[in-house]
Amino acid sequence: MDETIDLILQGCQMAKSLEGSLPNMTNQPESLISSCDEIIRAFSRAKESISKAQLAVLPESHKSQLLGISSGFQEWLRDSSIPTRAMDLLRAQQLLPDDTKLKGAIGGGLDEMVVDQMGGGGRCGGRHSLERAREIEPPAVEAASSGGGRASSSQRQRKRDGGVERRVERVPAPQMGNTEIPPEDGYTWRKYGQKDILNSRFPRSYFRCTHQKLYQCPAKKLVQRLDDDPNIFEVTYRGDHTCHLSSTAPSVPPPLPVERREAHSMMQQATAAAIHSLPNPTTNTTLSMSQWLTISDFGLAVAGGGVVGSTSSTVNMGSSTSGGAAAGPSTSRYGRDVDYPVADMADVMFNSGSSSSTSMDLIFSSMDDKWPDSADKKN
DNA sequence: CCCATTTGACCAGC
DNA sequence: GCTGGTCAAATGGG
């Protein structure tokens, strides 16, 4: 376990040093990327090591949780669109010029890492890593019905969004923790309805962008569990987010296409990990792990054991008769209108939306030895 | 008090 | 008339 902790510490240090050199690296995307890679690599090794160590000892339930962690991260890494997403993110953060073409480099690096660190995926490759069939439908423009229904209810939106782009994704439910919640997608959503659907065992949940009112953001999404495989969520997106276009809009995310959002948050996290994770420059003191967690928001995601949804979701599945679709968490009420990348990183790495703290507890209970302050309260 | 979720009712499309 | 999508009052948590 000591080795594992060393790896984690190593990762933290690398993030720390990345932060220090961040201002100088905005023009060196290659260096930035390789630094991020190294950090990820360190944490991946640590995770792998934890998994191995714990698998031998843990009861079945815990094993599956650990496997869930691995496969979640693996899935993300496997995603072929990562290079594109990463570049988009960097550009969005103005770390790369628009014409930078390093997708292959990034992708290659990550692929290597997947192979290296994940052992080819054989061990962790639960069904979902294979089944994570991300179906991005081509922009399907539905027959544009006028929407000019009755005059009396003209304020009301038409049911079938004529002309509105629809994208469908299938997302595996987390294999650990709260499996009711589909992974975070980088945006904040507010649930506005739930409905039982004919011939479906599970109800469908309706969400709209949290910023709909403020910024007239038209983005919506529908979340429903698949009948034949409740472990898979089908998420239908409608409309694009416009909330980020406002200069005053609280939501930072660039207008990424759906398939790019995961990497968007991942890379944003990688970059911001350094920003969040470090000693206060004014005090020049080294923070305890708990302090690090607290200021970095990482703590919100992983240290608050049992918190539903990494982004402080309060998604309530209770009323659903069959525990059907739930939603990506809304976050604005918790001050997360602005993305908090590190929390999202925890999402992705430790299987987003899950509530179990088991895995991180394993880490941080050990960390207590090395980080005496880590018992501090988290907020 | 503000804001998110729940849930029954309402509405539009088919 | 049925079904899916949305509204909005009620409710609850911070």
Side-chain angles (χ1 to χ4, degrees):
Chain A
M1 209 49 173
D2 279 352
E3 276 181 36
T4 306
I5 292 168
D6 285 343
L7 281 169
I8 294 171
L9 291 172
Q10 189 186 336
C12 293
Q13 283 168 2
M14 286 191 289
K16 203 180 292 187
S17 99
L18 175 61
E19 182 204 26
S21 49
L22 209 47
N24 305 324
M25 296 180 75
T26 53
N27 293 325
Q28 305 172 38
E30 293 94 342
S31 306
L32 197 54
I33 287 160
S34 74
S35 296
C36 290
D37 268 352
E38 285 178 24
I39 294 168
I40 294 171
R41 207 181 295 256
F43 282 121
S44 295
R45 283 203 200 102
K47 182 163 65 68
E48 193 75 357
S49 165
I50 294 166
S51 300
K52 282 174 186 167
Q54 294 302 317
L55 275 174
V57 202
L58 285 180
E60 282 305 315
S61 58
H62 287 194
K63 285 183 187 178
S64 62
Q65 288 174 348
L66 284 167
L67 291 176
I69 295 172
S70 296
S71 63
F73 189 52
Q74 225 177 324
E75 284 158 14
W76 183 85
L77 290 168
R78 279 223 190 83
D79 196 311
S80 60
S81 53
I82 280 176
T84 306
R85 300 176 181 188
M87 299 308 290
D88 282 346
L89 176 78
L90 289 171
R91 286 196 194 99
Q93 304 219 335
Q94 299 181 341
L95 294 176
L96 286 182
D98 281 349
D99 58 350
T100 309
K101 293 178 181 176
L102 291 170
K103 297 178 184 178
I106 302 175
L110 289 172
D111 286 348
E112 267 178 39
M113 187 175 80
V114 172
V115 174
D116 285 348
Q117 305 302 325
M118 303 298 182
R123 184 178 59 75
C124 315
R127 51 187 310 182
H128 296 323
S129 56
L130 296 174
E131 284 183 5
R132 178 165 190 155
R134 269 221 148 156
E135 302 175 353
I136 310 300
E137 284 187 351
V141 177
E142 295 186 343
S145 54
S146 69
R150 338 175 158 168
S152 63
S153 59
S154 58
Q155 305 287 359
R156 202 158 186 174
Q157 288 197 339
R158 300 284 74 80
K159 177 173 109 182
R160 318 244 186 250
D161 292 329
V164 174
E165 177 181 334
R166 292 179 57 172
R167 302 177 297 275
V168 179
E169 288 187 47
R170 291 193 178 180
V171 185
Q175 294 180 0
M176 55 179 275
N178 191 336
T179 59
E180 308 294 318
I181 304 171
E184 171 75 6
D185 59 10
Y187 289 101
T188 61
W189 300 97
R190 176 174 174 171
K191 187 174 183 176
Y192 66 88
Q194 177 169 307
K195 190 123 181 102
D196 287 325
I197 300 301
L198 197 69
N199 297 326
S200 290
R201 289 159 54 201
F202 307 106
R204 178 177 299 167
S205 296
Y206 300 87
F207 299 88
R208 60 179 162 230
C209 178
T210 302
H211 314 304
Q212 186 198 44
K213 283 187 179 176
L214 237 59
Y215 306 105
Q216 286 78 48
C217 180
K220 290 179 184 172
K221 79 172 178 181
L222 288 64
V223 179
Q224 182 167 24
R225 295 197 156 206
L226 293 186
D227 240 11
D228 49 356
D229 190 351
N231 294 317
I232 304 285
F233 287 104
E234 183 170 273
V235 184
T236 304
Y237 292 91
R238 289 181 180 175
D240 288 326
H241 286 271
T242 58
C243 44
H244 57 272
L245 295 176
S246 165
S247 58
T248 55
S251 190
V252 172
L256 296 180
V258 164
E259 71 273 20
R260 299 186 180 181
R261 286 179 197 147
E262 275 185 38
H264 151 71
S265 40
M266 189 67 177
M267 290 302 292
Q268 204 171 33
Q269 295 144 10
T271 312
I275 295 167
H276 277 291
S277 64
L278 306 155
N280 181 339
T282 60
T283 60
N284 196 29
T285 54
T286 302
L287 297 180
S288 71
M289 194 58 180
S290 68
Q291 288 169 317
W292 181 82
L293 288 171
T294 302
I295 64 166
S296 70
D297 228 59
F298 192 43
L300 285 180
V302 299
V307 172
V308 175
S310 55
T311 46
S312 348
S313 166
T314 54
V315 168
N316 182 347
M317 296 302 299
S319 70
S320 173
T321 53
S322 52
S330 300
T331 58
S332 59
R333 73 181 303 181
Y334 295 98
R336 274 210 60 205
D337 266 10
V338 175
D339 275 2
Y340 278 64
V342 183
D344 289 341
M345 182 175 213
D347 280 5
V348 180
M349 289 184 69
F350 296 96
N351 215 343
S352 138
S354 62
S355 64
S356 171
S357 60
T358 307
S359 310
M360 293 306 288
D361 283 349
L362 288 171
I363 297 172
F364 293 121
S365 61
S366 301
M367 296 292 282
D368 284 349
D369 300 337
K370 296 204 172 191
W371 302 75
D373 291 344
S374 64
D376 291 351
K377 80 183 186 70
K378 300 174 182 79
N379 283 318

